[in-house]
Amino acid sequence: MTTPVAAHRPLIHHTGFWYFPVAFVARLPFAMMTVGVLALVVAMRGSVALGGLTSAAVGLGVVVAGPVLGDLADRFGQRRVLVPVGVANGILLAIFPLVVANAGADALLLSAAAAIGLTGPQTAAMSRSRVMALIGDRVDPARRERTFSRAMAYESAADETAFVIGPFVVGVLAALIAPWAPIAGAAVLSFVFVTAFALHPTGRAVPERSARAAMAPFRELVHPRMLVLVAAVFGVGLFFGSTLTSLTAFMEAQGAPEAGALLYGVMGVGSAVLALAVAALPVRFSLRWRLVAFSIVLTASAGAYTVGGSVATVTTVLCLMGIGVGPSLVTLFSLAGNRAPRGRTASTMTILASALTLAQALSSAVTGAVAESVSVQTAMLFPAVAALLVLAMAALNASAAPRWDAVTTAADTGVAAAHAAPGSTPSSR
């Protein structure tokens, strides 16, 4: 049972100082493997097309396995899932350079890449689940909402920072050592840090197996109140993938293709900073209206991006896009955390993460094909289309959220009363 003294202590007291650094580094294998696989296949096989297919196979594996791993973690605990998954992922990454070096059938290469995706450690989703459980169980009720907002802001900023640093590390290791070095580095990180994250004491914060009787049915995950958030996150993923690919094509037309990732980093870093700043917003600025406001900023700046122009103009617009996309992503995950069906927190977070990954992969492939076969200007329209999807889902959510959340709160109150037991605390909505 939560004691009054423990309840008034900050979240860092309940997680321990090393939790957040370990959880952040444990995200990097996931952020490195798609880009690392692409770079390795292109370097060793000399085929961009095959490299793209291999990278897509990794993404497909992640999307297929994500919801399954989340459901298993909700049922049996994160340790029992993450330890074998992290070890398997490390082994598959370690042997992947040998598979690429073998000039055998492409089917074997694609199968190995899909296996890497299937065992991709869903550290970010699991971290959100743990932090949410700790806040619900051990933080003083009067401080939960603000603590939750800050924690979700940090988690989203950590995700974006990892996805900026990951490709950068891949490029540095490949340039300074060899094309296989990024994959080897990701394997080591998966072995060490994913395992350390899995075994961290915060893993006990998630419900034990005996709590499965109180788990909401799977159909709650496909309720419209959840699907609208999945669709919005999918739109954010489309935005990320189309922006990176179209920006790369734009800079290639300027004669500096290597600068595309650097400029994308400008947006990513700004987005991460603004994501953290969301925690400072007043509570009366509700999540549903935050999503509308930030998606409007995103759509307007993405519209300006379609005009293109000079490198300086595009850089300025990218900064504005970061103002919209980072806070939008934080708000979406915060809404998902509030609405996560009973006992399905990890499932909810992995579904959203999988939607983000799938959208990035699809939009990267489509945008790249359009940039090459049609024009760069046409490809630069895609981020605006993605932003419009986010805005549409934000508007739908704003109109229906009062009804959806009222029903959810009433249902959870009834269940909490029926299942209340010593040591359990109803989650704050």
Side-chain angles (χ1 to χ4, degrees):
M1 182 179 293
T2 304
T3 65
V5 174
H8 285 83
R9 288 176 174 170
L11 180 62
I12 192 71
H13 169 79
H14 304 295
T15 62
F17 176 78
W18 289 106
Y19 172 75
F20 290 106
V22 168
F24 177 78
V25 178
R27 285 169 158 87
L28 291 179
F30 193 87
M32 292 170 64
M33 61 188 188
T34 303
V35 179
V37 163
L38 173 64
L40 179 61
V41 173
V42 172
M44 297 185 69
R45 292 289 186 94
S47 172
V48 177
L50 180 59
L53 283 175
T54 309
S55 180
V58 175
L60 182 61
V62 170
V63 171
V64 170
V68 176
L69 294 177
D71 183 69
L72 291 174
D74 281 331
R75 292 178 180 275
F76 304 111
Q78 292 189 11
R79 289 186 175 185
R80 296 184 183 182
V81 175
L82 278 178
V83 171
V85 164
V87 171
N89 187 250
I91 292 173
L92 290 167
L93 286 169
I95 66 175
F96 188 72
L98 301 177
V99 176
V100 180
N102 182 3
D106 292 344
L108 176 61
L109 179 65
L110 295 175
S111 297
I116 289 174
L118 288 169
T119 57
Q122 301 278 341
T123 309
M126 302 296 181
S127 180
R128 281 187 173 89
S129 178
R130 289 189 192 187
V131 170
M132 288 167 58
L134 286 169
I135 293 171
D137 289 344
R138 304 181 190 179
V139 173
D140 179 50
R143 300 174 60 240
R144 278 182 193 161
E145 188 169 355
R146 177 50 61 91
T147 302
F148 179 77
S149 177
R150 291 175 177 174
M152 290 301 101
Y154 166 78
E155 291 290 331
S156 293
D159 284 347
E160 295 192 43
T161 304
F163 275 97
V164 170
I165 292 177
F168 175 76
V169 172
V170 168
V172 170
L173 292 178
L176 296 182
I177 303 177
W180 54 261
I183 293 296
V188 172
L189 292 176
S190 192
F191 277 128
V192 177
F193 284 93
V194 173
T195 302
F197 173 80
L199 297 177
H200 193 275
T202 53
R204 304 191 190 100
V206 296
E208 297 295 330
R209 187 173 182 174
S210 59
R212 280 187 291 164
M215 183 180 291
F218 182 82
R219 66 176 178 272
E220 290 295 321
L221 290 171
V222 294
H223 188 280
R225 65 174 173 267
M226 303 304 300
L227 292 180
V228 70
L229 302 181
V230 173
V233 169
F234 189 84
V236 174
L238 292 176
F239 174 84
F240 281 141
S242 59
T243 301
L244 175 58
T245 307
S246 63
L247 181 60
T248 302
F250 173 78
M251 291 309 299
E252 184 177 27
Q254 305 298 313
E258 69 282 353
L262 180 62
L263 290 183
Y264 185 75
V266 171
M267 186 192 76
V269 172
S271 177
V273 171
L274 266 296
L276 288 172
V278 170
L281 294 175
V283 174
R284 62 180 178 276
F285 188 13
S286 64
L287 292 175
R288 63 187 177 118
W289 293 118
R290 289 183 196 181
L291 183 58
V292 171
F294 292 128
S295 60
I296 289 174
V297 174
L298 180 63
T299 304
S301 56
Y305 176 77
T306 63
V307 179
S310 66
V311 174
T313 301
V314 169
T315 303
T316 301
V317 172
L318 286 169
C319 293
L320 295 175
M321 291 161 78
I323 294 175
V325 71
S328 293
L329 195 60
V330 170
T331 305
L332 284 166
F333 274 104
S334 296
L335 283 166
N338 286 339
R339 294 178 185 172
R342 191 176 62 257
R344 296 280 188 177
T345 303
S347 300
T348 300
M349 295 301 157
T350 50
I351 287 173
L352 263 64
S354 296
L356 191 70
T357 301
L358 176 61
Q360 284 179 294
L362 291 176
S363 62
S364 295
V366 173
T367 306
V370 170
E372 184 173 332
S373 62
V374 183
S375 69
V376 174
Q377 288 71 27
T378 303
M380 293 179 76
L381 295 173
F382 283 36
V385 175
L388 283 172
L389 173 60
V390 179
L391 179 59
M393 293 303 101
L396 177 59
N397 178 75
S399 64
R403 173 170 51 85
W404 286 340
D405 293 339
V407 172
T408 302
T409 302
D412 284 354
T413 300
V415 172
H419 293 278
S424 65
T425 304
S427 61
S428 176
R429 296 284 173 181

